[in-house]
Structure formats: structure tokens, C-alpha cells
């Protein structure tokens, strides 16, 4: 593989989505592939000033889109899913090239897009409201849901297509146009998704130009564009996925203008392995959750809390498995671990390993590999670190394949250790003891948004609400109820009597002349 090969393949994949080669050399916004560090495009960068007409176009599109009946809006999402099925191999491959995921996981991301579209199509006929018993005679009360307005969507590099689609599919059936600020590391995936949605819009029929132009737009650039979206009152919802650092900026900025946020931030996910666990299952689950996607999932397993009685056995087996994992070009069959997204991820990982060592941790793996073959790319052997206790470094999310292993003696201690970190995204327990499993999933158990038994913390299905508590931000995407974040709730009271009774029995009458 040469540098040229990747950029040529990228151009040809994009051409398949209808994106011309001129876009790939239109500016100075460099896009590189983490596979070999080579430049695959130089895009034109949007400025915050460019956002103004984009938001205005989204506002105009909103006026038209909100009037389209929801099931008809669902038809657009159904067509989008058809286009995604057609483009799945190519889009999955682009995800691998731009984000460095192995092909299997790139394809999996596109499948997740298809799944959420199917979900949203059904939802388009189920945006249910409520009829409420009124305390006043001859009155009827209703709660119903109306479209909200343009949805600003900020996404992270590690799920460059799926996370947008979780938002986009629901927002579209809810009646909201989209303005997407993708990660500056994965803008090509965003352009591809938008082009594929454009093909669905072309098939939808009867789309006025104003709607076509403003229904879904992509702004290419860095955090300055995200901040501009946060500050603009015309964007009632900002759904932001990324680090807790980013969320701590986005949350207050949007709140300052009383906008709504949906925050999907960092995780620091744990697994408790109890003495009764099926160790073979646990081992396979740990491997996928800690090593898969090169440890670059928000739900990646980062903390292993193992019972003293089985710790020795499990850690020995894990070390053996870690040593066998094939690291390399994510486009090649058989590879399980691709590259880190870039140099800063690598230095962050090494810094964390140094700190863990200073805290008394024993590091296995974690070194850079394949540097002679790809000097501008960052491949690492996943690290397993045996920690004497849960120190500060374990509390922080390091976005790299580091698994800290710690020991416990009783379940209360393990759960307390598990819940003591600032993040609250995904968690799991491996046990065959019913009491332990039930306790972990009870109000006294895990404090996370995702709580699993006998599966790892990563690899969610779109049918369940996705998101977490504490510093993970509290947002929920996909699953039940999350569509309500994209809509405005309306309470309506209709008086069909000939009287005007007031709520709470208040009398406020005046004498009227006979
Ligand atoms: P990041 O926070 O660096 O960037 C995410 C996005 O936010 C990018 O589009 C970036 O340009 C934008 N951004 C950065 N600063 C901003 C600011 N001040 N204002 C507005 N926008 C800003 O994250 P990343 O490195 O791309 O992704 C990894 C992080 O994302 C990890 O912490 C991971 O756990 C998290 N993540 C969370 C979820 C989830 O669902 N909870 C999913 C995927 C990733």
C-alpha cells in the first residue's frame, strides 16, 4: 500500500456517492488517514461566518418540513435506509480509511445507521401524545409533540457515521432540519453521508428547492464552528458527542441562551468479574470491549474489577490473548486492532501508562508497533495494567486501548469502586449468581446508563436508549423516548362547555348586565 493508493481509493469511493474530485483539493483543510498518516484530501474549511447562511437555510427548510406529515417524513428516512443498504460496503470502507476501524467494524457502523433508520420509520407513525383527564367539566386536555427547529449535531471521530445517523434519523421524522459539524478528523464520512441522504431526497419527490437546500447541511471545520452553533439562538437543540472537556464548554454556552443540549460524552467503563463467572465468556467479552476499535469507543472497557479468587487465572489468560491479537492495516482481513487516530492519542496513552507505573501499576503491552512500516501512523499493542488500587489515572478516560485490572473481595466493595469514577456510561458484570446479577442491575447497583450482565459494556443495539450519567452528560440517543429531545411538547386545553370554570376552583367573576 502506498500513500497514493489510499487517496486514490478515497476519491473513487467518494465518486461512488456522487462527490466530485474537485472537492478533495478545494482548500487547505487537510484530512489524513490514520492507516498510514497520508493526506487523502484538502477540503475547503467553513468559517463561523459561513454558518450564518447555513442556519438561515435550515430555518427556511424547517418552515416547510414541519408541515410535512410525520409518516411522510418517515418515507424519506426509509429511502435513506435503502440508499445506505446499497452503499454499505463503500461507506464502511470509507469509515475504515478515515477513522482506522477494521473493515468489520466499519460495516457494523453502517448497519447501525440502517437499523436506526428502520427504527425511525416505525417511529414516524408513533409520535404519540397523551389525552389527560381535566379537572374542569366540559374540558379536554392534550399533550402533543411538535417539531423543534434546526438540530445542530456535533460528532466525535470514533463513530464518524453512526452517531450522526442516530440523531439525523430521529430528527428528520420529528420534523427538524440538520446542521452537522463532524469531527475535523473525519469530515469525508460526513460529506459521504450527506450525499447519500441527498440521493434519498432526490427520490422522495416533490421537494421544493428551499427544502432541498436546507434540510441537511455539513459544516467542515474545528471547534470554532461547534461553538458558533452553540451560540446561535436559531438552533434550538445542540446534540454534541465527544469528550467531557468539550461537553463542559458546550453545555453552559447553549444553556446561556436557554437552548437545549443532548450531551453524549466520555465514558470510563467497568466490568466486575465475580467468582462464579463463566471465564471463557468473560475473556472473549473483555477482549472485544477493551481491544476492539483500538480502545477508541466511548463504551470501551477500561476498568476490570476481578474477584481475588480468579484474578490470577483471568489475568494470565488475558495476557496470552493480548499477545495473539493481530495488529495492522484495518483494511486487511484478520486484523483485529487498527491504528490510533493520531499522534496525540499515542502520546496521551504513553503519558497515562507512565502515570500508572508511578502509581505502582504493572504494565503489559502498550508499546508502539509497525513504526518502521508506517512512520506517520500510530499502531500500539493494547495495554493491560495491573493496578494495586484505583488511582487518579484510572479515574480519567484515556482514549486508547488501556485496560486497568484491579481486585476485590466482596461485591459491595466492587460496586463502590465501580461507581466512584466521575463518568457513568456503560458497565457490566460477569456472574452466574442470580443474586449478584440482580443486585448489580438494581437501584443499589451500577450507576451507569448502560448496565449489562454477561456481556461486555460495548456494542449497544439501537433499540435501547444509549447514553450515560454524571460526566457522560445525561443525554440519551436511540431507544425509547429519545425522540422527544427533538420535539417541542405542547399542552392544549379545549373547553367545549358553555361555562368558563377556572383551574383550582378559583372564582374570578364580574357582574354582567342582564
Ligand atoms: P472531542 O471532544 O475532541 O471532539 C468531538 C467534537 O466536538 C468534534 O466535532 C470537535 O470539533 C467538537 N468540539 C471540540 N471542542 C468544541 C467546543 N469547544 N465547542 C464545540 N464543539 C467542540 O472528541 P473526540 O476526540 O472526537 O472523540 C472522543 C471522545 O468522544 C471520547 O471522550 C469519547 O468517550 C467520546 N464519545 C462519546 C460518545 C457517547 O455516546 N457518549 C460517543 C462517541 C465518542
Amino acid at each position: 500500500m502506498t500513500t497514493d493508493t489510499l487517496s486514490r481509493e478515497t476519491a473513487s469511493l467518494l465518486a461512488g456517492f456522487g462527490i466530485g474530485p474537485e472537492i478533495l483539493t478545494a482548500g487547505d483543510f487537510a484530512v489524513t488517514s490514520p492507516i498510514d498518516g497520508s493526506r487523502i484530501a484538502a477540503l475547503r474549511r467553513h468559517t463561523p461566518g459561513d454558518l450564518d447562511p447555513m442556519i438561515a437555510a435550515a430555518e427556511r427548510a424547517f418552515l416547510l418540513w414541519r408541515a410535512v406529515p410525520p409518516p411522510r417524513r418517515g418515507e424519506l428516512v426509509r429511502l435513506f435506509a435503502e440508499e445506505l443498504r446499497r452503499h454499505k460496503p463503500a461507506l464502511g470502507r470509507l469509515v475504515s480509511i478515515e477513522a482506522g476501524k477494521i473493515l468489520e467494524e466499519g460495516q457494523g457502523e453502517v448497519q447501525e445507521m440502517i437499523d436506526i433508520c428502520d427504527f425511525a420509520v416505525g417511529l414516524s407513525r408513533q409520535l404519540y401524545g397523551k389525552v389527560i383527564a381535566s379537572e374542569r367539566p366540559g374540558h379536554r386536555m392534550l399533550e402533543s409533540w411538535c417539531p423543534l427547529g434546526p438540530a445542530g449535531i456535533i460528532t466525535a471521530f470514533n463513530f464518524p457515521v453512526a452517531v450522526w445517523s442516530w440523531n439525523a434519523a430521529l430528527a428528520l421524522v420529528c420534523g427538524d432540519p440538520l446542521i452537522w459539524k463532524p469531527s475535523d478528523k473525519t469530515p469525508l464520512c460526513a460529506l459521504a453521508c450527506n450525499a447519500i441522504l441527498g440521493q434519498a431526497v432526490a427520490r422522495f419527490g416533490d421537494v421544493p428547492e428551499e427544502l432541498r437546500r436546507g434540510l441537511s447541511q455539513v459544516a467542515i471545520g474545528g471547534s470554532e464552528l461547534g461553538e458558533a452553533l452553540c451560540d446561535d439562538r436559531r438552533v434550538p437543540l445542540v446534540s454534541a458527542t465527544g469528550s467531557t472537556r468539550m461537553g463542559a464548554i458546550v453545555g453552559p454556552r447553549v444553556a446561556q441562551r436557554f437552548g437545549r443540549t443532548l450531551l453524549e460524552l466520555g465514558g470510563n467503563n467497568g466490568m466486575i468479574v465475580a467468582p462464579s463467572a463463566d471465564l471463557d465468556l468473560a475473556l472473549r467479552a473483555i477482549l472485544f470491549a477493551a481491544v476492539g476499535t483500538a480502545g477508541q469507543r466511548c463504551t470501551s472497557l477500561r476498568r476490570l474489577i476481578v474477584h481475588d479468587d480468579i484474578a490470577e487465572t483471568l489475568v494470565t489468560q488475558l495476557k496470552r490473548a493480548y499477545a495473539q491479537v493481530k495488529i495492522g492495516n484495518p483494511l486487511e482481513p484478520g486484523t483485529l486492532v487498527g491504528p490510533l487516530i493520531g499522534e496525540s492519542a499515542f502520546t496521551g496513552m504513553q503519558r497515562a501508562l507512565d502515570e500508572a507505573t508511578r502509581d505502582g501499576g504493572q504494565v503489559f503491552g502498550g508499546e508502539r508497533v509497525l513504526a518502521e512500516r508506517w512512520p506517520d501512523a500510530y499502531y500500539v499493542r493494547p495495554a493491560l495494567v495491573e493496578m494495586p488500587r484505583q488511582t487518579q489515572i484510572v479515574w480519567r478516560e484515556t482514549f486508547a486501548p488501556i485496560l486497568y485490572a484491579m481486585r476485590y473481595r466482596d461485591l459491595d466493595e466492587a460496586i463502590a469502586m465501580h461507581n466512584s469514577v466521575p463518568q457513568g456510561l456503560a458497565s457490566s458484570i460477569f456472574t452466574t449468581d442470580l443474586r449478584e446479577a440482580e443486585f448489580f442491575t438494581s437501584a443499589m447497583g451500577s450507576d451507569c446508563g448502560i448496565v449489562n450482565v454477561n456481556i461486555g459494556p460495548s456494542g449497544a443495539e439501537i433499540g435501547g436508549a444509549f447514553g450515560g450519567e454524571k460526566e457522560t452528560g445525561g443525554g440519551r440517543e436511540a431507544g425509547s423516548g429519545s425522540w422527544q429531545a427533538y420535539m417541542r411538547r405542547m399542552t392544549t386545553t379545549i373547553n367545549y362547555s358553555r361555562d368558563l370554570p377556572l383551574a383550582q376552583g378559583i372564582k374570578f367573576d364580574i357582574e354582567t348586565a342582564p
Side-chain angles (χ1 to χ4, degrees), residues 23-105:
I23 294 212
L24 300 180
T25 51
D28 62 359
F29 192 75
V31 187
T32 55
S33 169
I35 294 178
D36 62 359
S38 66
R39 179 181 286 216
I40 49 176
L43 303 177
R44 187 176 90 73
R45 172 201 305 264
H46 288 107
T47 64
D50 294 327
L51 263 186
D52 182 59
M54 291 171 85
I55 296 172
E59 260 197 317
R60 286 194 296 275
F62 175 59
L63 299 182
L64 299 167
W65 191 235
R66 69 180 179 180
V68 175
R72 174 85 181 123
R73 299 197 293 249
E75 170 62 8
L76 173 64
V77 177
R78 192 189 69 75
L79 292 171
F80 182 38
E82 274 187 8
E83 294 300 326
L84 285 170
R85 284 180 169 89
R86 195 160 69 81
H87 289 294
K88 180 177 170 181
L91 185 57
R93 203 168 166 88
L94 183 64
V95 169
S96 294
I97 292 176
E98 203 180 24
K101 289 186 180 192
I102 59 169
L103 272 184
E104 192 68 23
E105 293 192 57

Side-chain angles (χ1 to χ4, degrees), residues 153-159 163 166 181-185 221-230 238 240-247 249-250 253 263-269 296-299 302 341 397 399 425 466-468 472 477:
I153 304 168
I154 298 172
T155 56
F157 79 82
N158 67 322
F159 273 90
V163 166
W166 298 347
K181 208 305 277 172
S183 163
D184 42 343
K185 301 183 181 88
S223 57
E224 69 289 349
L225 292 184
E227 292 185 2
L229 267 183
C230 291
V238 176
T241 299
S243 58
T244 294
R245 186 198 54 75
M246 175 276 286
I249 297 169
V250 166
R253 276 183 98 125
L263 298 177
E264 295 279 356
L265 310 175
N268 191 357
N269 316 293
Q296 297 173 116
R297 282 190 186 219
C298 52
T299 50
R302 311 204 179 278
I341 191 68
E397 179 198 45
F399 214 56
L425 181 53
F466 184 91
T472 303
E477 283 165 347

Side-chain angles (χ1 to χ4, degrees), residues 463-495:
F466 184 91
E469 302 303 327
K470 304 191 286 183
E471 286 190 3
T472 303
R476 292 293 187 280
E477 283 165 347
S480 67
S482 357
W483 59 272
Q484 295 174 350
Y486 305 88
M487 302 202 87
R488 169 170 64 86
R489 191 196 311 223
M490 184 199 291
T491 301
T492 305
T493 309
I494 298 165
N495 177 7

Side-chain angles (χ1 to χ4, degrees), residues 62 64-81 113-128 145-151 153 164-178 197 200-201 204 211 215-216 237 478-479 481-488:
F62 175 59
L64 299 167
W65 191 235
R66 69 180 179 180
V68 175
R72 174 85 181 123
R73 299 197 293 249
E75 170 62 8
L76 173 64
V77 177
R78 192 189 69 75
L79 292 171
F80 182 38
M113 298 179 80
I114 295 166
D115 294 346
I116 191 72
C117 285
D118 288 354
F119 180 90
V121 174
L123 188 67
S124 70
R125 291 181 184 271
Q126 300 174 76
L127 302 174
Y128 296 138
W145 295 89
C146 298
L148 187 65
I153 304 168
W164 170 76
S165 73
W166 298 347
N167 285 280
L170 296 200
L172 284 174
V173 299
C174 289
D176 303 339
L178 320 167
L197 178 58
V201 172
F204 186 61
L211 180 55
L215 190 60
S216 176
L237 168 70
S482 357
W483 59 272
Q484 295 174 350
Y486 305 88
M487 302 202 87
R488 169 170 64 86

